[in-house]
Amino acid sequence: MPARPHPVHRPTTYAVTVLAVAASVALAACSGAAEASSGGAAGSTAQAVPAVNTSPDQKRITATKDERAAALLPAAVRARGTITAANAGAGGGTPPLVFTADDDKTVIGVEVDLAHLFADKLGLRVETPATSWENVFLGIDSGRYDVALTNVTVTEERKEKYDFATYRKDDLAFEAPKGGTWRVTSGKDIAGKTIAVGSGTNQEKILLDWNEANVKAGLPPAEVKYFQSQTDYYLALASHRIDAYFGPNPSVAYHVATAGQTEAIGHFSGAGDSLQGLIAVLTRKGSGLAAPYAAAINSAIADGSYAKVLQRWNLSSEGLEKSEINPPGLPKTD
């Protein structure tokens, strides 16, 4: 899913090696033009993770209907008994969010699982059409889709047009070869390291801001590298030509789980030091769907089914204690 970050102006006070201008690993938190803030540390992980099921037979986590959440649904939705929860999985998608299973046709992923789980809580049958990122919003605007679960970050700009019910943290992560002792808990920890990042992303802005601050503080600069493709990034990481990759936590978690050669060595909010970025169910403003979804999510949190879904996709670190309706989002930018 393409990001919509604002332009990044690279400082010239330190070394930046550009191998190619590209997106590196897809999935830059899908958080719109406002996703260029510095990140706050959220710990690090270096533990064993469960295998990822990429077959079409998903054996999804299910849940029982929550009558109080269902009672909040608009009467028309409750009467028809179905809901459409779109995702941006067209063209293959981005694992582990939404992507095509081993049969090359079944759409799977954590967003699909959560769409089914929350529909269970609302007592509804759910359809999960895969479309493009742009068409997700167009479909919500036109009423073609009721809601969307597709890694949409809450922003102040989006809140003017849409209502949100949060269900995951929007986090970034550092990925490094397994077995090392280096951990990233603050910007100072990147000093003197060689780090790859996607061009034009919020994580690039964070990295460059940290680097500039380190140089001003008399610390050695990090060398920032950009790669043409995901394969090139993996090869550089495996051959130790880079010390780490800084990218969206879900893509890092998926690669850690499936490749088995790397580990996450630090997590940071995608929204900045003073704000935890949040991923949310996207609904048309005034549709009356944000409140029942928040109630359904909180019910799934309470009974443990929500945690089980995140665990099966290695995203437990992004779990929330409570769903919120329209919380503070990433600020607008000039």
Side-chain angles (χ1 to χ4, degrees):
M1 279 169 277
R4 300 293 186 274
H6 65 66
V8 172
H9 302 284
R10 296 188 180 91
T12 58
T13 56
Y14 53 82
V16 176
T17 300
V18 179
L19 298 190
V21 177
S24 188
V25 180
L27 185 157
C30 294
S31 58
E35 60 172 44
S37 303
S38 61
S44 62
T45 58
Q47 53 190 335
V49 291
V52 177
N53 175 12
T54 58
S55 75
D57 184 10
Q58 284 293 291
K59 297 182 175 62
R60 291 190 178 95
I61 306 299
T62 60
T64 57
K65 180 179 179 180
D66 186 298
E67 295 293 347
R68 286 183 293 183
L72 297 174
L73 285 166
V77 176
R78 198 164 56 247
R80 76 179 188 233
T82 63
I83 199 157
T84 303
N87 61 68
T94 304
L97 299 174
V98 54
F99 62 109
T100 305
D102 298 338
D103 63 356
D104 291 328
K105 61 181 181 180
T106 304
V107 178
I108 63 174
V110 67
E111 305 289 51
V112 179
D113 281 8
L114 290 173
H116 280 271
L117 184 73
F118 302 154
D120 285 349
K121 284 293 183 182
L122 293 169
L124 300 172
R125 298 186 306 278
V126 65
E127 298 176 359
T128 56
T131 185
S132 68
W133 173 250
E134 292 79 7
N135 282 332
V136 164
F137 292 89
L138 292 174
I140 293 291
D141 294 345
S142 69
R144 181 179 181 183
Y145 308 131
D146 297 306
V147 301
L149 280 84
T150 190
N151 208 53
V152 180
T153 301
V154 180
T155 72
E156 289 302 307
E157 182 176 5
R158 286 179 181 157
K159 282 165 58 179
E160 295 177 354
K161 190 174 182 180
Y162 304 100
D163 288 327
F164 294 92
T166 59
Y167 64 91
R168 259 195 313 110
K169 295 177 184 177
D170 175 10
D171 280 348
L172 306 172
F174 281 86
E175 182 180 3
K178 185 181 290 186
T181 59
W182 174 45
R183 296 292 181 265
V184 184
T185 60
S186 71
K188 293 180 179 180
D189 294 323
I190 71 166
K193 300 293 186 179
T194 301
I195 302 170
V197 70
S199 177
T201 60
N202 60 333
Q203 53 266 26
E204 180 197 33
K205 177 64 166 57
I206 290 170
L207 197 64
L208 298 182
D209 285 348
W210 283 349
N211 212 4
E212 186 173 30
N214 286 346
V215 169
K216 288 180 179 178
L219 296 173
E223 184 176 10
V224 181
K225 291 192 175 183
Y226 303 85
F227 288 89
Q228 182 70 33
S229 69
Q230 185 173 348
T231 300
D232 291 339
Y233 144 67
Y234 290 150
L235 288 173
L237 198 60
S239 64
H240 296 268
R241 286 185 287 124
I242 57 175
D243 295 304
Y245 164 72
F246 188 33
N249 178 65
S251 61
V252 169
Y254 184 79
H255 185 239
V256 167
T258 55
Q261 299 176 345
T262 58
E263 60 185 344
I265 62 167
H267 291 91
F268 297 84
S269 168
D273 288 327
S274 60
L275 180 67
Q276 172 61 59
L278 295 169
I279 304 297
V281 179
L282 175 74
T283 75
R284 186 162 44 89
K285 199 163 193 68
S287 66
L289 290 170
Y293 262 91
I297 295 164
N298 285 326
S299 180
I301 291 171
D303 72 13
S305 55
Y306 164 84
K308 290 178 181 177
V309 172
L310 294 187
Q311 183 180 28
R312 78 185 295 257
W313 294 104
N314 306 309
L315 294 178
S316 295
S317 67
E318 294 193 353
L320 298 181
E321 295 183 358
K322 180 182 179 181
S323 176
E324 299 177 272
I325 299 172
N326 296 332
L330 273 66
K332 292 182 179 181
T333 57
D334 297 329

